[in-house]
Amino acid sequence: MALRLTVSDDVHALAPGFHHIAIEAYDLVNTPSTDATSALLDDAARRLAERLDGRAPHEDPHMAAWRAAYTAFGAKPNRTRNSAEALAKRALSEAGLPRINTLVDVYNAISVAHLIPVGGEDLDRIEGGMRLVRATGTEDFVTIASGEQVVDHPEAGEVVWCDDEGVTCRRWNWRQGPRTCLDDTSVNALFLLEGMGEHAGLAAAGAELAELLEKFSPGARITVHPAQ
């Protein structure tokens, strides 16, 4: 792939069962949420409820594996849930899933329907390559607090995604920074689907995500890279 994407040995040692699929997509069209993306999110919540069959999201074996990984690097899973568990919890609540924009709605729907952490990054805002590493604690993480942009730092040993400019997502996939998020100006994107264990179902989720991207952005150039 054109973008360098690496996972450090320290992360593999922490979670040997971790693997991911990357999807590169170019010439996308992003719009405000539509009736079609809203229906997609509603259907994802229905599929999730069928999968869980009355269980809480954290009782699903895949989410339990993610909780174990979070605990291994010192995070408290009840307080900082992985992105898929957090979305699933919201999907099953009265609030329901948020409507953000077409691209975010699409990848959130895949995350909820398959109970897999999925993230989307604006390729044009990534500096250098993307790396999944254990933080030193000195890296910059630009985020928003009380409506203002602030610089935060991960904890030493925390698993983070970063590029040459700083951290793009803290606590593995818990909180993405605004610098690389997908907004109405985004046309090129990197989607990351992350799994723990061989039965995470990344291949099916990746294929469905690619199909939806083609549906909502006809003519887009999409490449699904094999799981690593």
Side-chain angles (χ1 to χ4, degrees), residues 149-162:
Q149 185 172 296
V150 297
V151 177
D152 198 0
H153 304 280
E155 298 173 4
E158 182 181 322
V159 177
V160 297
W161 280 103
C162 61

Side-chain angles (χ1 to χ4, degrees), residues 43-228:
D43 184 61
R46 178 194 59 77
R47 291 166 65 183
L48 171 71
E50 288 182 358
R51 170 178 175 147
L52 293 175
D53 193 23
R55 295 174 298 160
H58 71 267
E59 295 176 293
D60 182 271
H62 191 214
M63 293 299 93
W66 271 105
R67 282 188 163 224
Y70 267 50
T71 299
F73 69 80
K76 294 179 170 57
N78 281 331
R79 193 165 67 186
T80 55
R81 294 177 174 87
N82 74 79
S83 64
E85 185 183 329
L87 273 178
K89 194 170 186 296
R90 181 154 183 182
L92 299 174
S93 72
E94 282 190 16
L97 290 166
R99 274 60 174 165
I100 309 297
N101 57 53
T102 294
L103 293 178
V104 176
D105 289 355
V106 165
Y107 81 69
N108 278 350
I110 293 298
S111 177
V112 168
H114 292 266
L115 208 50
I116 287 171
V118 182
E121 306 281 349
D122 189 314
L123 273 170
D124 297 319
R125 297 175 190 160
I126 294 172
E127 299 294 333
M130 291 274 294
R131 303 179 297 279
L132 186 65
V133 301
R134 301 198 69 178
T136 64
T138 62
E139 299 90 346
D140 287 345
F141 177 68
V142 178
T143 187
I144 303 296
S146 301
E148 300 291 330
Q149 185 172 296
V150 297
V151 177
D152 198 0
H153 304 280
E155 298 173 4
E158 182 181 322
V159 177
V160 297
W161 280 103
C162 61
D163 65 2
D164 289 352
E165 190 169 322
V167 173
T168 59
C169 195
R170 283 199 58 189
R171 291 178 189 156
W172 216 313
N173 47 48
W174 167 66
R175 177 170 295 168
Q176 182 186 26
R179 174 170 60 89
T180 59
C181 68
L182 297 173
D183 60 23
D184 59 2
T185 68
S186 300
V187 292
N188 303 315
L190 172 72
F191 299 92
L192 289 169
L193 296 84
E194 301 179 292
M196 290 287 173
E198 61 184 43
H199 301 299
L202 293 191
E208 186 176 352
L209 177 54
E211 182 179 333
L212 287 173
L213 292 172
E214 291 171 353
K215 173 183 175 181
F216 286 97
S217 293
R221 294 178 290 121
I222 298 166
T223 302
V224 180
H225 296 278
Q228 294 185 24

